[in-house]
Amino acid sequence: MAEKADGAPYGPGGRGFYGAVTVSERGQISLPAQARRDLGISPGDKLLVLGDPEQGLALMTVDRILGNVDFSPVLKSAVREHIDEEDPEAGPRPEPGP
């Protein structure tokens, strides 16, 4: 496992390990600052929570998931519906390019 100059460990494909978080009684977590910096996550950004019974949870930005051509069309559709329900005035979102 390689390490960036700032000390964050990275594995194959640039996948990083940023430590552990604790779930509060209200189900909240705080994302480590280095993860937010490395991944460009800012206050107010919306993250999607994905789950896989065998692999666990993953957090992903809306743009990243909609731009992933290998992602399940069924889940992409569900994400689009969820986003449109939260922001009905936003109008239809364009399909991501190749």
Side-chain angles (χ1 to χ4, degrees):
M1 183 176 300
E3 240 182 63
K4 280 180 90 176
D6 58 18
Y10 289 86
R15 293 180 178 97
F17 175 74
Y18 295 100
V21 298
T22 301
V23 179
S24 75
E25 288 184 27
R26 294 182 60 198
Q28 298 168 322
I29 61 169
S30 293
L31 300 176
Q34 188 66 45
R36 295 191 313 268
R37 282 191 294 272
D38 286 357
L39 301 172
I41 298 170
S42 301
D45 285 354
K46 184 168 296 286
L47 299 177
L48 302 173
V49 180
L50 308 171
D52 180 296
E54 294 180 19
Q55 297 183 36
L57 293 176
L59 301 174
M60 192 175 273
T61 62
V62 172
D63 293 342
R64 175 87 31 121
I65 201 166
L66 293 179
N68 186 340
V69 295
D70 293 333
F71 200 70
S72 161
V74 173
L75 289 179
K76 273 190 180 181
S77 176
V79 167
R80 282 197 176 90
E81 286 178 25
H82 180 76
I83 293 167
D84 290 341
E85 286 174 6
E86 289 187 358
D87 191 5
E89 294 183 16
R93 285 170 175 67
E95 287 291 322

